[in-house]
Structure formats: structure tokens, C-alpha cells
Amino acid sequence: MYHSPVTNALWEARSSIFERKMDAGGNADAGPQTELLTKRPAQSRTSIVYKFASDDILREQYRDPWNEVRVGKLLEDLDALAGTIAVKHCSDDDSTTRPLLLVTASVDKMVLMKPLRLDTEVKITGAVTYVGRSSIDIQIEVTQVDQDLSTLLSDISQLATDGDVQSDPIALTANFTFVARDSVTGKSAPVNRLSPETEREKQLYAETEALEKVKRRKREEQKGVLEKGVHKLGAEAERLKALLAEGRVFSDFPALADRDSILMKDTRLETSMICQPQQRNLYGRIFGGFLMHRAFELAFSTAYAFVGQRPCFLEVDHVDFLKPVDVGDFLRFKSCVLFTQLENKWQPLVNVEVVAHVTRPELRKSEISNTFHFTFSVGSDALKNGVNIRNVVPSTEEEARRILNRMDAEGLFD
């Protein structure tokens, strides 16, 4: 079994939806869905429980060297769960319509609030929170509870109504965006509407809608920069100049450079692979969760080599799925420490960027397929022992722009 047992189980559930349509009379000539349905979040809500405490085989499959849950492997499952939820929401149970092609567009703010242990059950639950014309936003929560608190929390949960009270403490939250494409034409396709019912569902819908409006406004602002953003360009030039100043010292006067700083290019790591058939998803493309898994492992190694101590994963800041990756593609992952945030001495932050390139040696061509941004910190023991985290500086304008773009996205200049 190549994928995790959870991912395989989710894919089997997803496949059964397509098979039911085909068994009911669906065929290759079926047309697109013409009448959109209105669905409730509860209709797509899906949960998976990892019984680590009682299942020795499952626990061993997810164990990392420090006896915690392997985050990279969990990322695969989260993507598979989000995909299954998207399929459930878009299904119309009509054998005369063809199923949509649903692909991961992005992942935003996957935040780990506490380490995931292997001595108790872990539960992942997700549902659709918002839909656009052809996009679907899904929020997933990972919960884990101490065994000695489970009885108390179980009693408390009995008092919950409408599903608005979360009984178990949340260990991780993740937000996925999927887009729908017509499986024949490849064009964007409309998705079923969403009707939130509970107060929590209505709150999530309103929050996501507001966030979408902010994203649209930012895109419009970026389009207008060249037309009426002369002052912005001037301000950006000053920021670039300030970032590049220290990097130029490294190039021109290396003996006088700050010993507490390091050039971005000196933090790089790289790995490459040929994408195999076993790594494909139900649509024949390379599984997005697998790409996140590989990117996370490289980002973790990059942070480890940079800090000199085992890093603590905090969050996936953002993932973009720009181009599909196919079986047989030569895929290269390139990582670097993009910048550090050292203002809080008890929780210094290390921001790692991983870029995936689909490389075609025959054509002497390379295209970016995915970008990943991760944030790590270090454990309290390492901080007590005086670990020194260096400041990262760019040596080229292109590197400086990548830093500024990421800082702007994180709101660090607001």
C-alpha cells in the first residue's frame, strides 16, 4: 500500500460516488449538471478517527522519530479528506450528468496548536464552509483529547446543541480551496450552492466571504499598481534597497559581514524525483497531498539544517497549486529559508519556502507547479541552551522581491 490507509479509505469512498452514477446508467456522453442544488454543510461533513491507542499497526505507520504524529503523512490525509468533502458537496445523484473534475487550488493557514501524540485517539473532521461560482472552501479540524479528560468532555458534549460546541480541544486547523472543472472541456464549472444552518456555520460562511472580498480587492489593487502606483513602486524600491544592503556587504566585504546573518542562497536544499503511477490520484494526476508531504519533509530538513536543532512545526502559511503534475514528470523541489522573525526571543520563527518545478530535459524547459510556505520554531530546551538563529539576507533583487511578497502576504508590513 503506497498511500496511508486513511487516504485509501477516503479515495474508496469517493470512487463509490462515481461508480454509483455509472451503475445507474451514466456514460461517457453524459452532459454537465444543469440544475444546481442547495446543500447544507452537514451533508458533506466527514470525520475520520485514528485509533492510535489501540491499533499498533496504524500507530507505527504514523510514528515519527520523536514519537509524535508524522505531519507530512497527515497532510496527505487532510488533502484526501478535503477532496472527498468537495466531491460530496458537488454530487447531484443524477446518473445523466457527468461528475466534475475537482482539484486543490490552495491551502491557507494550516496551524498546529499543539503536538499530536500517538497515545490517544486523533479525529479529523471537515465540511464545506463557503462556495463561490466554481470554488469550494473547506475547513478541517484535527482534535485530540487526553484520556483522563475524555469522560468529562463527553459529558459536556451532551449539553451541546446544533453542533455548535466543539467538545475536544482543537490541535490543528486547515483551510482548503478546491475549484471545479468540467471533466470534458476543462473549463470552470458551477458548483452546488451552500445553505449554512447553525450559528457556527453561518459565522464561518460570513468570515470566509469577507476573506474572499479582501483577496479580490488585493488582486484588483495589484492590477492597478502599474497604472496609478508610482508612489508604491518608489516605496518598494526603498524596501528592496534596504533588504539588499546587508547582502551586498557579504558580496563586497565578506570579512566585515555580520556573523549573525547568512545569505539566503546558503540555506538552500534540493531534492528531485520521477513521479510514479502509484502517486496518482483518482483523476490520473499526481496527488496534491503527496506533493505537500514531500515539500514538508524538505522544509523540515531545511529548517533543521539551518537551526542546528530539531525544529518545531507551527503552520503551513500558504500553498499554491499552479499547474498539474503528471505521472512521469521529472519533479524538482527547491527550498530555502526565506526570512526569520526574531523579535520574540522565546519563539523565534523560521519561514521556509519550497518551490516545485516540473522539469522537461528534452525541451530544456522548467515550470513552477507548486509553491509552499511553512513556519517553524525551536523547542524551549534549545532556546535555554542558547541556540543562535541567524538573520537571512538576500543577495539578489529577485530574492529580495520574494521576501517582500511573502511578508506582504503575511501582513508583516501593515
Side-chain angles (χ1 to χ4, degrees), residues 110 140 342 353:
M110 186 183 295
I140 296 177
L342 309 178
E353 177 189 67

Side-chain angles (χ1 to χ4, degrees), residues 6-21 46 76-89 91 99-104 138 178 280-285 287-289:
V6 171
T7 293
N8 277 293
L10 288 165
W11 281 2
E12 287 176 8
R14 204 185 308 178
S15 296
S16 68
I17 295 175
F18 296 127
E19 289 169 1
R20 283 199 300 270
K21 289 175 73 82
T46 308
E76 289 196 26
D77 295 346
L78 295 177
D79 186 67
L81 176 62
T84 299
I85 291 168
V87 168
K88 282 186 175 182
H89 179 79
S91 175
L100 296 174
L101 174 65
L102 298 166
V103 295
T104 314
I138 296 163
F178 279 71
R280 71 187 185 277
N281 59 21
L282 297 177
Y283 304 115
R285 295 271 172 72
F287 172 39

Side-chain angles (χ1 to χ4, degrees), residues 283-295:
Y283 304 115
R285 295 271 172 72
I286 298 303
F287 172 39
F290 170 78
L291 299 175
M292 284 199 291
H293 185 173
R294 292 299 295 262

